[in-house]
């Protein structure tokens, strides 16, 4: 960094430091000159050095000012002392006539207040308007004061860490929290404490002037430092610098001056000893500080922890305007931009329903919807929008060719816009000084536009514009203007003459003409009809514009039903006809209606073509007449008055609109009517979405409730009631919705049967809140009179459970995502109440009026909303236009955002992933970063012309709905990019998609040679096989490991022979308190931060060595241009790239591995194959080697016997494998996302790990050997896919020979293999195979081998194998390539005349990720993403499943009673039954679209009677019979997911527990639900276990454990219908703080089991005061033993023999414990946290499961 202060003196000479005091004019001129060249002030200005303060020539001192060497800083500093601060000071510059002219935004002061004293600092800053403002801060100021020229801020001094002053300040702060709940500082009020520390103060001058005085900062004039303080220095900068970050740390954190951040300059930094934190020694204060301030607007330390580490995207907000200031990069913003895209609008009209236009082609209709103009294709209903009006659109007009569209809006000053219809852009916008602009008309040529409105005197004003040049330069000029007293309802420009117009209105029809810039008119003589009210005029459409004037006829309609036919050239009435209603027989009517008597049918609109005339009338009929009006030949009846008719240009379709908001058209030829749009005619008050069926229900002020199809926009149902509906809610799963009305009636409807299910009339006032719980069990309603009701929605009649009456009407109901909490505004407008959602018992009151003591008025709550993924966050919208984040556990204010909208926030919603917040205020929708960490804090979207009543995400999170004036359906474009989904052909997806959801461009076929390595990293091989020069930037860590036993960890250290846990025998303890303990759990949010992934990946490496030369072929996938020049890249969108499965678990670093030969359990078998790996299976047919991976274990299996050996050297998921050509050595690598990845080298025969290589810092993607096995390649990328690297290694010494950055072009290649020595095959992500000539390095032929991405290529002889994500495995004959000669250009296979033959193909069960075949390509093994390894034999066209596994999470695994079979179930809805001991899959039962959460076996061991029962996510139980391999019975005892299931010990009943805490007892014979046990209601059932009873009443016992730490034990005799509660256990626990890191942010599970050796003992573990296993005696009613655990248990089981307990934890370890002694052993063979462990009935085997990894262990004992 250049020291800019060294050139400062000469700059100051230019800025006015010439030795004499300049005049004011000279000073101003020089000041401007200095500011204009402000570049010299970057990156900072050292002020003391700048003015040479020690000379006191350009600065001044007064009083006791001296220098001394400070012991802490170890440098010379200034000390300013004096009893009166103003009498001792340092002033810079020397006189007030001079100016520093420093334009840096941030002012930094390095000082230490004198203990026990007061100090003052004055800063004089200039605003851009020229006004000088003094900013002062001092610890003697008690409160904030401000004038137009002076701001005074109190300064709160910080105390040293752990000092008595810090404790005092914290106590004071906590006292304030109790009183005001808004103070978050730790400063000390008044004189500085004795332990005050050196402080770095940062003052944001731009913010201060902007917020407090609404002025713009220009520069700093002067600084005055007054006693009492010590000062090291001060400087200004435009960079936000962090004193606690060193230069090296700043580089690692990405803090750079180009991003507006950085570390503190060295000459300004404070010394920090090694190993000590900067924040432990000093204070960093920035103003404005983070959080709320005490007292009002004080300067203080803002972080309670003392640490204010600068992070990218850290932000804070101003509270007086929408200016937002950020600590971080100013170039970041909320992405994607835009994040919303308007897709569809349900609505028509607004200001008018008499304007809707046909396009000339007749394929689209253009109409207004409030402030937006919509163009809709009549065939597909696709909409296009013209957005720009700020008020409702009142008129529309097309020119003759429909190229120009004109629109007008209502308001005090009408605005007219002219659009290019095809492009959708606005060409011109201009104002007409008139209001109520009601009519627009274009001439046929588009050169004339006519408009009608009212002027300021309410007189009719007609304006004619010249729009001839609007398409060229946007020019629109006024041709003529006229003011008249004549009423004009409609005015149209004649199609045959641009200068002629016609209008009609009350009492008149007038003809207009422009001549010589003057607009003149003449009336049509109406004679006896002069008092009629005319509604519309029309020329005969379809006539050529060149038609003679004498042939033109004009038609006019009236409200009395008359239709006038006017001769335009003679201005005469030719014919008058009248539309009368049908004659009615009535006894009292004495006169017959005549032409001039009786009520005619009002005609609102008329349209005439060459064949017929169309009229729309008040009686709701669209009628088609011949031109002589002799008879009606076609009519269509509507629900309301027809306000518009318009005939299309081809005369085949007639558009009709009604005043009730309907729009449709009549097809004349087919006589069919098509409805285009229906809409509410008044404000839409609210909505609810049925996410399953994509239905939308809305309630409107027009008195209707309507249900819409969200995809087609069709109105499905319309409910009309005498009392106005005001709120609606859909049931979360059933086709049921409820509606609340203004009279207080709640009605519940079943849509499928059109049946009224329930009607409740207990409310006395308007229903202001209505909601279902997310689990669908309860419904809530609230009225304006103050009652809140709870209903049981699991029953059809929705019985009311409870009614409470707060003091004030509850409002803004919201239910937490776990259905446990209900929040509403009440009992006063200042209070938000959080209640138990199942009982309405109040849990917490939050007073929002005291959360901000800065506000001059009391704040009240308006809307509330729970965060979906973290129920600890409750969002509250307040009357002060804020959104508050409140803790539901403590009521503490967590975060707030001010000035959310221009007006109050009317609705808010949070996305399910907690990434985005939606707010609605007035007419705008805003999308915010939920965590408020983006620099561009929000995106705002307009379109509504009225205040928005409600906004929310759709249940699938793919859209947003907002309602108010109309229904707006938005596409939500911020799709998650965290997951990589396999593309299955049956899903209907043919195109590959990027992670952002947008379709990818077609991949270009390669036309250039493969890129070559940089010369600096390419070396030649001599005959001896040694490299002439070897250089490496970084040496890899290579560990030589001595011979070890199979499966041992090469990095394990020697351990003691045995380890023990603490066992506590509790003999004389008091019985466990079984009373109800209400310890509410309040998990905190676990935020998953999306990392923007970069650009490339390599999945296949091929090396060829031939004599003195070697070729290295590696493929890199690029989906955008290479971003090496600074652009941001994205993650490759290809399945071939290995991406580790997301895990939150960590490895237990304190695990104690057993000594070899002393293991209590031994790994016997691995069930499954990891389909998430890439190239993670090898097979050598000659040597008979077959190996594959499952998690972090390598399985070496004998194909004939099925015997397995297991090699372990990794702790993370294995990404890829490679084997030498002689099958003696195997390399396996892990895809680590953190530190360096590990490559283990194994000797196959001995099963020992020979070496490990830890070089690559990212994920190892691929490994490959050369043909002679002398070299191998490795390729890696970082977790963000940046800096990919290829390394070449020696197979003998394991030394890296060459490394090269993998930087190639924008080629999308996905696989590679050789064909002989001269040809190379490559595959693309679009299914093409390309053939390259290695010698010329050119691609000379391609063919399309698949429809999807090809990820696997293998070539043996003249046969080529391709495997893709379409699940097809294809074998090609490529023998014809041998005779081809390379050509200059690329040919398709069919164009080149070369035949590539598809010999055979087979469809597998998933995407191909690995393959190995013999030399003739006759047989081989293929691995898929479904977790299956297939044996493929092309000779007999057969495929055999060798290894099967689950693709998704395995939820349960259990042995049958005879141990001949075991069953597994998983999230994909499959139940699989396996044989033992062969571990082969016997049968699979699949249920689509439902997760299977638990499984159990029937007690019978007979093969014919053995059954498997499984519980599913939809609340059903299914019983499968093993003998018939069919489902025997389906039961539905639950309405929520089944979480536990167990046959009774005798097999007479099945007990099942649900997520809602209900336990159902069902009969396996007839499927009936015998009884439902509700004791655990409200907490998820985690365990159900049954056992035979010995000694107690009843034949059996069973227990149930629930998530609220309660265990119930029951004594039963099912044959006698006896089921008695034996004991009820409640285990206390502190409040859960979420620090244990569980993924769903819930406490560890509560688990219980009977002790096999003594069923009178119940063993329990779960979240509590201590991590332990508790043994509870049912006879003694007390805990008799405890075994301490190092970690919370996620699963456990007890062995029937040897007193062994298996305990799994989130730390990936299985702990085997001897319950009598506490001796234990740790086993770390899993790559993720354990979720299930089960012993076999005999205790000889034990299963452990981590995600989809199933390991079977043989129990030996401890």
């Amino acid at each position: 960094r250049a020291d800019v202060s060294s050139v400062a003196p000469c700059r100051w000479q230019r800025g006015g430091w010439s030795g004499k005091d300049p005049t004011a004019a000279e000073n101003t001129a020089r000041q401007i000159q200095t500011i204009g060249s402000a570049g010299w002030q970057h990156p900072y200005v050292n002020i003391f050095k700048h003015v040479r303060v020690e000379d006191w020539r350009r600065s001044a001192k007064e009083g006791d000012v001296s220098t001394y060497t400070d012991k802490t800083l170890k440098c010379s500093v200034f000390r300013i002392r004096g009893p009166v601060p103003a009498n001792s000071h340092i002033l810079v510059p020397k006189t007030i006539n001079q100016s520093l002219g420093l334009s840096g935004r941030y002012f930094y002061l390095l000082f230490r207040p004198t203990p026990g004293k007061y100090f003052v600092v004055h800063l004089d800053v200039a605003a851009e308007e020229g006004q000088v403002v003094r900013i002062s801060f001092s610890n003697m100021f008690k409160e904030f004061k401000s004038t137009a020229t002076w701001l005074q801020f109190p300064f709160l001094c910080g105390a040293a860490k752990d000092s008595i002053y810090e404790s005092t300040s914290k106590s004071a702060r906590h006292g304030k929290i109790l009183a005001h709940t808004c103070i978050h500082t730790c400063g000390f009020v008044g004189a500085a404490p004795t332990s005050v520390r050196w402080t770095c103060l940062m003052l944001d001058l731009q913010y201060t002037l902007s917020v407090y005085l609404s002025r713009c900062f220009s520069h700093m004039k002067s600084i005055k430092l007054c006693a009492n303080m010590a000062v090291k220095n001060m400087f200004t900068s435009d960079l936000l610098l962090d004193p606690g970050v060193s230069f090296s740390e700043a580089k690692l954190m990405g803090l750079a001056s180009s991003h507006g951040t950085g570390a503190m300059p060295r000459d300004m930094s404070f010394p920090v000893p090694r190993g000590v934190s900067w924040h432990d020694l000093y204070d960093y204060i920035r103003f404005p500080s983070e959080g709320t301030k005490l007292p009002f607007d004080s300067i203080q330390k803002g972080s309670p922890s003392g640490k204010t580490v600068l992070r990218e995207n850290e932000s804070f907000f101003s509270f007086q305007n929408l200016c937002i200031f950020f600590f971080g990069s100013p170039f970041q913003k909320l992405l994607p931009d835009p994040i919303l895209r308007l897709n569809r609008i349900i609505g028509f009209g607004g200001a008018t329903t008499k304007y809707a236009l046909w396009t000339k082609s007749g394929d689209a209709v253009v109409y207004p919807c409030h402030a937006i103009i919509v163009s809709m294709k009549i065939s597909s209903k696709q909409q296009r929008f013209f957005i720009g009006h700020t008020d409702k659109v009142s008129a529309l007009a097309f020119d003759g060719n429909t190229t120009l569209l004109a629109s007008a809006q209502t308001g005090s000053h009408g605005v007219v816009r002219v659009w290019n219809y095809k492009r959708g852009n606005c060409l011109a916008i201009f104002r007409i000084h008139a209001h109520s602009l009601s009519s627009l008309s274009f001439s046929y040529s588009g050169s004339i536009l006519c408009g009608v409105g009212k002027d300021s005197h309410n007189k009719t004003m007609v304006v004619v514009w010249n729009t001839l040049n609007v398409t060229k330069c946007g020019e629109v000029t006024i041709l003529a203007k006229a003011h008249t007293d004549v009423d004009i309802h409609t005015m149209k420009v004649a199609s045959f003459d641009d200068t002629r117009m016609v209008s009609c209105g009350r009492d008149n029809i007038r003809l207009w003409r422009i001549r010589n810039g003057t607009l003149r008119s003449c009336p049509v003589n109406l004679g006896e009809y002069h008092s009629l009210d005319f509604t519309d005029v029309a020329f005969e459409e379809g006539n050529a514009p060149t038609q003679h004037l004498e042939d033109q006829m004009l038609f006019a309609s009236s409200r009395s039903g008359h239709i006038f036919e006017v001769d335009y050239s003679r201005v005469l009435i030719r014919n008058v006809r009248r539309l009368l209603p049908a004659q009615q027989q009535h006894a009292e009517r004495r006169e017959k209606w005549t032409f001039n008597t009786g009520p005619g049918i009002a005609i609102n609109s008329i349209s005439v073509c060459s064949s017929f005339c169309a009229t729309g009338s008040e009686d709701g009929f669209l009628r088609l007449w011949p031109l002589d009006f002799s008879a009606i030949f076609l009519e269509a009846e509507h629900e309301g008055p027809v306000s518009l008719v318009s005939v299309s240009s081809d005369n085949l379709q007639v558009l009709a609109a009604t005043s009730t908001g309907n729009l449709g058209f009549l097809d004349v030829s087919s006589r069919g009517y098509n409805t285009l749009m229906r809409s509410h005619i008044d404000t839409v008050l609210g909505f609810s979405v049925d996410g399953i069926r994509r239905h939308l229900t809305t309630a409107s002020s027009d008195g209707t409730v309507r249900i819409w199809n969200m995809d087609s926009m069709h109105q499905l149902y319309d409910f009309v009631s005498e009392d106005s509906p005001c709120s609606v809610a859909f049931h979360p799963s059933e086709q049921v919705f409820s509606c609340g009305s203004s009279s207080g009636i709640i009605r519940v409807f079943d849509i499928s049967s059109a049946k009224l299910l329930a009607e409740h009339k207990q409310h006395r006032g308007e229903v202001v809140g209505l909601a279902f719980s997310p689990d669908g069990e309860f419904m809530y309603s609230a009225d304006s009179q103050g009652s809140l009701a709870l209903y049981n929605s699991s029953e059809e009649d929705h019985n009311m459970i409870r009614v409470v009456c707060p003091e004030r009407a509850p409002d803004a109901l919201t239910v937490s995502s776990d259905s446990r909490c209900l929040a509403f505004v009440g009992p006063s407008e200042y209070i938000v109440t959080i209640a138990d959602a199942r009982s309405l018992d109040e849990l917490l009151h939050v007073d929002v009026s005291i959360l901000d003591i800065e506000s001059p008025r009391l704040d009240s709550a308006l809307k509330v909303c729970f965060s979906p993924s973290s129920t600890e966050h409750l969002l509250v919208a307040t009357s002060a236009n804020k959104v508050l984040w409140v803790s539901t556990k403590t009521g503490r204010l967590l975060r707030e955002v001010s000035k959310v909208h221009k007006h109050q926030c009317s609705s808010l919603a949070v996305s399910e992933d907690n990434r985005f917040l939606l707010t609605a205020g007035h007419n705008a929708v805003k999308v915010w970063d939920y965590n408020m960490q983006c620099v561009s804090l929000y995106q705002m979207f307009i379109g509504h012309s009225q205040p928005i009543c409600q906004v929310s995400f759709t249940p699938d999170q793919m859209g947003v709905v907002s309602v108010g004036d109309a229904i707006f359906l938005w596409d939500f474009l911020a799709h998650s990019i965290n997951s990589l989904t396999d593309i299955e052909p049956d899903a209907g997806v043919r195109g590959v998609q990027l992670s952002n959801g947008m379709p990818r461009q077609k991949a270009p076929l390669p036309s250039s040679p493969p890129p070559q390595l940089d010369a600096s990293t390419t070396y030649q091989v001599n005959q001896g096989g040694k490299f002439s020069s070897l250089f490496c930037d970084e040496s890899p860590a290579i560990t030589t490991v001595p011979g070890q036993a199979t499966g041992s960890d090469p990095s394990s250290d020697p351990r003691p022979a045995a380890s023990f846990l603490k066992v506590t025998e509790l003999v004389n303890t008091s019985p466990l308190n079984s009373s109800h303990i209400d310890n509410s759990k309040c998990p905190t949010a676990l935020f998953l931060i999306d990392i923007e992934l970069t650009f490339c990946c390599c999945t296949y490496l091929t090396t060829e060595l031939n004599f003195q030369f070697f070729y290295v072929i590696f493929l890199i996938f690029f989906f955008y241009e290479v971003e090496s020049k600074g652009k941001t890249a994205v993650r490759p969108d290809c399945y071939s790239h290995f991406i580790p499965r997301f895990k939150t678990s960590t490895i237990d670093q304190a695990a104690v591995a057993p000594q070899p030969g002393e293991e209590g359990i031994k790994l016997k078998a691995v069930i499954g194959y990891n389909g998430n790996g890439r190239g993670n299976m090898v097979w050598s047919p000659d040597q008979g080697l077959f190996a594959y991976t499952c998690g972090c274990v390598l399985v070496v299996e004998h194909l004939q016997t099925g015997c397995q050996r297991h090699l372990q050297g990794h702790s993370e998921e294995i990404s890829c494998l490679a084997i030498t050509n002689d099958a003696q050595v195997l390399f396996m690598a892990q895809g680590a996302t953190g530190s360096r990845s590990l490559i283990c080298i194994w000797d196959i025969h001995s099963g020992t790990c020979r070496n490990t290589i830890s070089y690559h810092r990212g994920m190892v993607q691929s490994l490959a050997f050369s043909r002679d096995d002398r070299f191998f390649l490795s390729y890696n990328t970082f977790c963000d896919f940046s800096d990919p690297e290829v390394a070449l290694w020696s197979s003998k010494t394991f030394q890296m020979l060459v490394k090269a950055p993998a930087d190639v072009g924008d080629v999308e290649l996905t696989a590679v293999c050789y064909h002989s020595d001269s040809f190379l095959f490559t595959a693309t992500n679009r299914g093409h195979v390309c053939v390259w000539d290695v010698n010329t390095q050119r691609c000379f032929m391609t063919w399309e081998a698949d429809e999807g991405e090809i990820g696997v290529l293998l070539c043996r002889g003249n046969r080529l194998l391709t495997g893709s994500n379409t699940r097809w495995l294809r074998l090609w004959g490529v023998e014809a390539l041998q005779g081809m000669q390379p050509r200059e250009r690329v040919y398709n296979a069919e164009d080149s005349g070369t035949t590539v033959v598809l010999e055979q193909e087979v469809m597998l069960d998933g995407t191909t990720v690995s393959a190995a075949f013999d030399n003739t390509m006759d047989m081989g093994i293929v691995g898929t993403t479904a977790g299956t390894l297939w044996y493929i034999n092309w000779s007999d066209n057969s495929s055999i499943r060798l290894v099967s596994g689950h693709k998704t999470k395995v939820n349960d695994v259990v042995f049958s009673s005879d141990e001949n079979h075991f069953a597994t179930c998983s999230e994909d809805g499959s139940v699989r039954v396996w044989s033992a001991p062969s571990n082969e899959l016997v049968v699979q039962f699949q249920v689509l679209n439902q997760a299977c959460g638990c499984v159990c076996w029937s007690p019978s061991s007979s093969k014919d009677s053995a059954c498997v029962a499984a519980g599913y996510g939809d609340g059903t139980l299914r019983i499968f019979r093993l003998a018939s391999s069919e489902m025997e019975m389906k039961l539905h005892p639950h309405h929520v997911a089944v979480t536990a299931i167990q046959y009774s010990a005798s097999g007479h009943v099945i007990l099942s527990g649900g997520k809602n805490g209900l336990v159902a007892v069902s009969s396996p014979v007839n499927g009936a639900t015998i009884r439902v046990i509700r004791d655990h209601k409200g907490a998820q059932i985690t365990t159900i276990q049954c056992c035979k009873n010995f000694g107690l009443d009843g034949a059996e016992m069973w227990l149930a454990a629930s998530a609220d730490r309660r265990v119930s034990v029951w004594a039963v005799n099912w044959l006698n219908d006896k089921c008695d509660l034996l004991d009820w256990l409640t285990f206390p626990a502190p409040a859960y703080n979420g620090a244990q890191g569980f993924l769903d942010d819930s406490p560890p599970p509560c688990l219980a089991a009977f002790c096999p050796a003594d069923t009178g003992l119940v063993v329990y573990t779960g979240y509590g005061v201590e991590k332990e296993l508790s043994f509870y005696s049912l006879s003694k009613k007390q805990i008799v033993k405890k075994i301490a655990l190092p970690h919370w248990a996620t699963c456990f089981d007890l062995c029937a023999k040897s007193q062994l307990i298996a305990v799994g934890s989130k730390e990936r370890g299985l702990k085997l414990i001897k319950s009598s002694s506490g001796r234990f052993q740790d086993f770390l063979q899993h790559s993720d946290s354990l979720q299930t462990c089960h012993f076999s009935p005999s205790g000889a085997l034990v299963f452990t499961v981590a995600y989809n990894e199933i390991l079977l262990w043989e129990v030996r004992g401890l």
Side-chain angles (χ1 to χ4, degrees), residues 294-368:
L294 168 74
F296 182 83
D297 295 318
S298 58
I299 299 178
Q300 62 213 300
K301 182 179 176 183
S303 176
S305 64
K307 291 190 177 183
T308 319
V309 179
L310 187 63
R311 295 180 178 90
E312 194 174 5
N313 298 334
E314 191 172 356
S315 61
F316 66 91
F317 328 102
S318 77
F319 49 83
Q320 295 188 3
N321 55 17
L322 275 178
C323 296
I324 301 172
F325 300 90
F326 295 88
F327 292 101
S329 169
F331 306 106
Q332 297 180 2
K333 57 184 179 180
L334 189 63
L335 295 175
D337 188 6
I339 201 169
L340 292 184
R341 179 179 59 207
L342 187 58
N343 189 345
R344 298 180 297 279
I345 297 179
I346 302 177
F348 164 63
T352 180
T353 56
K354 70 172 188 175
Y355 279 98
L357 310 173
W358 283 109
T359 58
K360 188 175 182 179
S361 60
D363 63 343
V365 173
V366 179
Y367 59 90

Side-chain angles (χ1 to χ4, degrees), residues 27 120 150 254 259 333 372 406 414 418 420 447 529 544 614 643 778 834 864 879 898 920 974 1256 1311 1385 1406 1612 1711:
N27 182 54
V120 182
W150 199 352
H259 295 162
K333 57 184 179 180
I372 292 182
V418 180
N420 183 314
S447 60
Y529 306 107
S643 56
F778 299 100
I834 301 174
V864 289
S879 59
S898 303
H1256 292 296
R1385 65 187 184 92
V1612 296
K1711 193 175 293 291

Side-chain angles (χ1 to χ4, degrees), residues 745-749 756-762 797-798:
I745 299 177
I746 304 291
R747 296 181 177 91
V748 183
F749 298 92
L756 178 65
L757 298 180
E759 185 176 71
H760 297 281
K761 300 181 179 180
Q762 73 278 355
D797 53 0
H798 289 66

Side-chain angles (χ1 to χ4, degrees), residues 121 387 530 546 670 857 914 946 1028 1117 1157 1292 1365 1499 1582 1621:
V121 175
I387 301 176
H530 62 85
T546 57
S670 66
R857 66 181 67 180
N914 261 32
Q946 295 176 196
S1028 57
F1117 303 136
K1292 294 183 178 180
N1365 61 359
T1582 56
L1621 181 63

